[in-house]
């Protein structure tokens, strides 16, 4: 079962296209929701928010016509498929700023439920180990002639384990590229020192746990004394 399939909520309240706007607003308010999918004959036709419906309700008060959801105009909603990989939907998650949910469609186009952006982002954070258990290394290296596999090999030879990594796409004509690594390491100071011997510019962040703070402070002071010599 894919990560997307594990996140599908098929009990999330839905609205029917034939419903009156006022009735739809009441439903969303009763469930404490800000948004909901709209279905017609089991097919997804829209994704509406409370703000959309309030605006339609105000227009209904002005012209006196009974408005149903299907009478309104909405952009075609962005959807995902249950068999998509988590990373393949990341752009949709980050670009969809108006809603916290993404409807899920099956192979036949039938509505299957929704996934929440917050749930997917939480799993992406776990996938890349964005937690206090890891340290982060940012390495600026020549854009040409440096293989990521070789950098990983150097990191692992220094008793560190690479949990995840990414490469920022260099600008056209750029001389350097930036690689970011999430690692587990007992002595990140020694690792950084050894990597700097290759001429790389290193930035790193180590989780602050309180433990070992004195040792790190002593190493920093030792380094400063070395610079002053």
């Amino acid at each position: 079962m894919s990560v997307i399939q594990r996140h599908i909520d098929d009990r999330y309240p839905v609205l029917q296209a034939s419903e009156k706007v006022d009735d739809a607003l009441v439903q969303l308010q009763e469930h404490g929701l800000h948004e909901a999918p709209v279905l017609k004959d089991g097919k997804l036709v829209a994704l509406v928010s409370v703000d959309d419906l309030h605006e339609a309700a105000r227009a209904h008060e002005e012209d006196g016509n009974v408005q149903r959801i299907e009478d309104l105009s909405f952009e075609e909603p962005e959807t995902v498929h249950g068999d998509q990989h988590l990373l393949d939907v990341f752009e949709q998650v980050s670009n969809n700023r108006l809603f916290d949910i993404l409807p899920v469609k099956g192979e036949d186009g039938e509505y299957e439920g929704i996934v929440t952006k917050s749930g997917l982002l939480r799993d992406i954070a776990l996938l890349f180990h964005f937690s206090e258990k890891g340290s982060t290394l940012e390495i600026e290296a020549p854009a040409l002639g440096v293989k990521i596999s070789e950098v990983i090999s150097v990191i692992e030879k220094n008793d560190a384990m690479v949990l995840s990594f990414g490469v920022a796409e260099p600008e056209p004509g750029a001389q350097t590229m930036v690689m970011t690594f999430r690692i587990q390491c007992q002595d990140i100071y020694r690792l950084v020192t050894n990597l700097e011997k290759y001429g790389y510019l290193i930035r790193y962040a180590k989780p602050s746990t309180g433990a070992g703070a004195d040792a790190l402070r002593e190493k920093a002071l030792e380094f400063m004394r070395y610079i002053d010599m």
Side-chain angles (χ1 to χ4, degrees):
M1 180 182 291
S2 72
V3 174
I4 301 296
Q5 288 170 331
R6 292 203 302 268
H7 276 279
I8 295 176
D9 181 358
D10 58 2
R11 296 185 179 182
Y12 190 93
V14 299
L15 302 172
Q16 299 300 321
S18 58
E19 290 184 56
K20 295 179 181 179
V21 170
D22 290 344
D23 293 340
L25 270 171
V26 171
Q27 283 193 58
L28 291 183
Q29 289 167 352
E30 286 178 348
H31 288 96
L33 299 175
H34 181 261
E35 57 214 10
V38 179
L39 306 185
K40 184 173 184 178
D41 300 326
K43 303 280 187 179
L44 179 74
V45 294
L47 188 59
V48 299
S49 69
V50 169
D51 293 340
D52 294 330
L53 296 176
H54 272 306
E55 186 176 339
R58 284 194 295 270
H60 155 58
E61 289 177 359
E62 292 175 1
D63 60 28
N65 294 323
V66 176
Q67 278 191 310
R68 302 182 185 278
I69 299 177
E70 60 190 353
D71 298 328
L72 309 177
S73 297
F74 297 103
E75 293 184 6
E76 184 176 349
E78 199 163 9
T79 62
V80 297
H81 294 280
D83 58 355
Q84 282 184 267
H85 190 275
L86 180 63
L87 297 185
D88 293 332
V89 304
F90 180 71
E91 188 172 0
Q92 291 171 263
V93 171
S94 58
N95 288 342
N96 189 355
R97 299 175 184 274
L98 297 178
F99 300 98
D100 184 52
I101 63 174
L102 281 170
V104 182
K105 277 186 178 181
E107 291 295 328
D108 56 358
E110 293 291 321
Y111 171 79
E112 292 189 347
I114 61 96
V115 291
T116 63
K117 290 197 301 183
S118 55
L120 297 181
L121 289 173
R122 191 162 50 247
D123 266 19
I124 289 172
L126 292 173
L127 179 65
F128 284 96
H129 298 270
F130 297 145
S131 68
E132 292 189 357
K133 296 179 181 178
S135 299
T136 304
L137 273 181
E138 188 176 84
I139 301 176
E140 190 170 338
L144 299 175
V146 176
K147 294 181 179 179
I148 297 176
S149 58
E150 293 174 349
V151 177
I152 291 176
S153 177
V154 172
I155 293 174
E156 291 179 339
K157 285 178 181 177
N158 282 271
D159 300 322
M161 181 171 67
V162 175
L163 302 173
S164 61
F165 69 90
V167 180
E169 196 70 28
E171 296 290 333
Q175 300 297 310
T176 61
M177 64 177 176
V178 176
M179 299 172 284
T180 301
F181 298 88
R182 193 70 172 171
I183 63 169
Q184 282 184 348
C185 181
Q186 292 296 323
D187 191 345
I188 193 169
Y189 179 82
R190 179 170 70 88
L191 170 62
V192 170
T193 301
N194 289 337
L195 285 171
E196 286 176 336
K197 294 177 182 177
Y198 292 85
Y200 300 150
L201 175 62
I202 313 291
R203 290 176 286 270
Y204 70 96
K206 179 178 174 63
S208 178
T209 60
D214 291 337
L216 286 172
R217 189 179 301 108
E218 284 301 318
K219 288 180 179 179
L221 291 173
E222 181 183 345
F223 182 63
M224 294 301 293
R225 285 194 293 268
Y226 174 77
I227 292 176
D228 290 337
M229 290 176 60

